[in-house]
Amino acid sequence: MSDSEYAIESADAGASATIPMEAGQIKKGGFIMIKGKPCKVLSISVSKTGKHGHAKCNFQAVDIFTGKKLEDMVPSSHGTTVPVVNRTEWEIIDIGEDGEVTLMDEGGNQKTDINLPSVPEGMAQEIRDAWAEGENQVSCTVQAAVGIEQIISFKKEA
């Protein structure tokens, strides 16, 4: 067995994209996975225990990447999954013809695998207008969860 057979292309810490949590522990404004999509909880209504003894949590949430409203009902004592959501600040260096964005963080690391957001509508054009072909300094917030990364907000630096 030679060393070349064990070439590892990339490695991560093995951290999961989601964590388990009891449905009754999730709060308004928190995150939950509904139908495989990471969502932000808008409201929770808890029904009384029925004859089988489980209170049910009715979650109304919005997909953090598409903005679609989703609902889910889970017994409060049962487990559900919560996405691990990270937000990072980046500065826009370049915007390509097809909407691919080149970003740089404070440490000088570059990121080129992100496109302008398609949701909400018009935000991509607002970012282009604010950036004005590199004349203005624009920083943006990138939200990442379950392997998806997307620009969720931006601001033009003075």
Side-chain angles (χ1 to χ4, degrees), residues 91-156:
E91 187 182 318
I92 296 176
I93 295 175
D94 187 32
I95 301 176
E97 289 289 314
D98 299 328
E100 64 277 358
V101 183
T102 304
L103 303 170
M104 186 169 71
D105 68 2
E106 290 174 358
N109 303 316
Q110 287 197 357
K111 182 180 228 20
T112 55
D113 57 351
I114 280 192
N115 290 341
L116 286 171
S118 54
V119 177
E121 217 169 297
M123 185 176 176
Q125 191 56 48
E126 286 177 35
I127 292 173
R128 274 190 194 277
D129 294 344
W131 187 64
E133 294 301 317
E135 287 181 32
N136 299 318
Q137 189 177 356
V138 177
S139 64
C140 63
T141 304
V142 174
Q143 184 165 268
V146 295
I148 305 168
E149 289 183 308
Q150 183 175 307
I151 295 172
I152 55 161
S153 68
F154 73 97
K155 68 174 181 266
K156 190 168 148 181

